[in-house]
Amino acid sequence: MWKLKIGSDTVREGGDHQWLRSVNNHLGRQVWEYHPELGTPEELQQIEDARKAFWDNRFETKHSSDLLMRIQFAKENPCVTDLPQLKVKDAEEVTEEVVTTTLRRAIDFYSTIQAHDGHWPGDYGGPMFLLPGLVITLSITGALNAVLSIEHQREMCRYLYNHQNENGGWGLHIEGPSTMFGTALNYVSLRLLGEGADDGKGAMGLARKWILDHGGVTAITSWGKMWLSVLGAYEWSGNNPLPPEVWLCPYSLPVHPGRMWCHCRMVYLPMSYLYGKRFVGPITPTIQSLRKELYTVPYHEVDWNEARNLCAKEDLYYPHPMVQDILWASLHYVLEPVFKRWPAKRLREKALDTVMQHIHYEDENTRYICIGPVNKVLNMLCCWSEDPNSEAFKLHLPRLYDYLWIAEDGMKMQGYNGSQAWDTSFAVQAIISTNLAKEYGPTLRKAHVYIKDSQVLEDCPGDLNFWYRHISKGAWPFSTADHGWPISDCTAEGLKAALLLSTLPTETVGESLDRKKLYDAVNVTLSLQNDDGGFATYELTRSYRWLELINPAETFGDIVIDYPYVECTSAAIQALTLFKKLYPGHRREEIENCIARAAEFIEKIQATDGSWYGSWGVCFTYAGWFGIKGLIAAGRTYEDCSSISKACDFLLSKELASGGWGESYLSCQNKEYSNLKDNRPHIVNTAWAMLALLGAGQAKRDPTPLHRAARVLINSQMENGDFPQKEIMGVFNKNCMISYSAYRNIFPIWALGEYRCQVSKAL
């Protein structure tokens, strides 16, 4: 039976202890371990039933309900409540009693799935291109069977088969249509995990047919070409150049990689190393077989030069503009031949050394977690390529488990090492919004400890300009302090949560965060405002929008620079406004100026129909919540600000006839509001819209839409107080969806909490 371990419990003395580093005793770390001796027959049957139910409904329900974790916590932390489950009929009034009972049942349950260190664990999967990078890297380095037990490998195969589409392919994410990128890499992963070319009761053959029917893997995206090249199932000459020499250029150039968005920078950094070395792993019988299975012509007859720019139409979200084709052709035909010969070859060697310096810096400053799962495994592969026996490679290995998560759909690689700090900050605000905080002191106290102890306490070492890093002291990360990358909205939400907790009695929630640490959070927040007033994610926007012309990733949009976003900008406004209220004497003029400029930015980027585009959640409802709340926090009102009134009109125009809101991920992809299939409401979209409208004073103007939305949330609650997992609600880079499993609990609580205080009590 699988068991989720948390924090210091994840570190085994005599095991991988010597290869793990931490700044706070591994606070927030989540690791699943297999223990064959655990589990009663009833528990094991419960898990098998959950797995079977997912398999039977896999084409209709793509998202796990995180049942393995919930089964474990139900045993360790049973939810004891005598409150009845309530439903509200269409003609019935939504009374304060019903809302309060629903909230108590919801928080009672949510408290039981809180980890002992204060955060809420959960599934942060969704993308289908992450696990292949891990499997390929471990296969190349010969560490597959050492790192992944038979049980790990079995669950990974379960996950891949569970998320195979009916036509045999795999999508970019769990809800997406089949793509060459997803299909080829996941087919290869299954082969490397030991599945035969005709295994899976025909599933492997169906996948291979999809690949060949769509032109073979020469039509895979550039990221896919890179992965197949290091594996030895594709030739480097079929890749567009990724010259490491660009890292030697002066920073003053707008195209310098140090000016790129950090996720883009940190992925192409190790890619350029592997390209520069033309690294290829051992050619095993499986690789030789893949060379036959994946192509429509014999491997030695493939036109690799033509393949450089091929991309299946199913994958093509961002087609290469002509300027990019000219650039790649120039590099391929002119510069690359030069760098292979002396004396220019010396320059390549220097570039590779420089790139490895930056890789090691990233590894060491994230305790070998790395900023994300793609550069995690790429960096690890580079370290092995540099020296298979290096300490760096050994330090990488135990941190792979930080990215693995198991649910009833199998084992996946997450999009980060979790969303611990982000979810905890939101959960605290949600519970406090209900005005029932004093009833949930133990829950808030534990969460308070996590928030305080996950703040980043120091900047990265050395010359930050040399390493292209922003200050981080005082920031909050998305996940854990060991990860450590500072993010503007995570810092803002962490600061909001810490400030709200400081207003509650210490005997209820514990000691407040030290004032100096609050000041540090304000300092890093102020430092992240761009000249246009907006806030990007990790750093300032360092270059120009036209740089997106050289985005080589055909399947993602807006990846090259760190753009300012309505979500990040609004979160910063809200946090600084609350801070100014509680600490009016600290940097008041700077804060007020920052808020004013940020509010103007939000107004400026609003669409003419009153909407904002959501870049990190689905989609217009998510951004609408942030846009409206940011302007309200800046002092605007519905009556004096047309941006707020237009935004409210937009949201109200999207309310479903049955009540509530339900927005499809297609909104993100197509940049146009799309309802879910059959116009179904979604509890998370409904909660976001409610919070936006409540913030803008809708309860005073016409509470009817709020009553209808509240009914949707109340009637969705499950018997045990939990809420159901529905369609995926997170997104990045316009086109890839990601799971925020905690949202199903956090946002119904938050919306009903605000509704209780603003509407129910007024009835």
Side-chain angles (χ1 to χ4, degrees), residues 350-390:
K350 181 181 179 182
L352 291 172
D353 288 342
T354 299
V355 166
M356 277 309 299
Q357 279 185 322
H358 284 275
I359 287 172
H360 288 313
Y361 186 84
E362 156 72 351
D363 291 346
E364 291 161 9
N365 283 287
T366 59
R367 274 55 63 181
Y368 289 81
I369 297 169
C370 299
I371 195 172
V374 178
N375 86 312
K376 161 64 183 175
V377 291
L378 286 170
N379 282 14
M380 189 173 84
L381 184 57
C382 290
C383 290
W384 187 84
S385 171
E386 184 185 43
D387 179 3
N389 298 310
S390 66

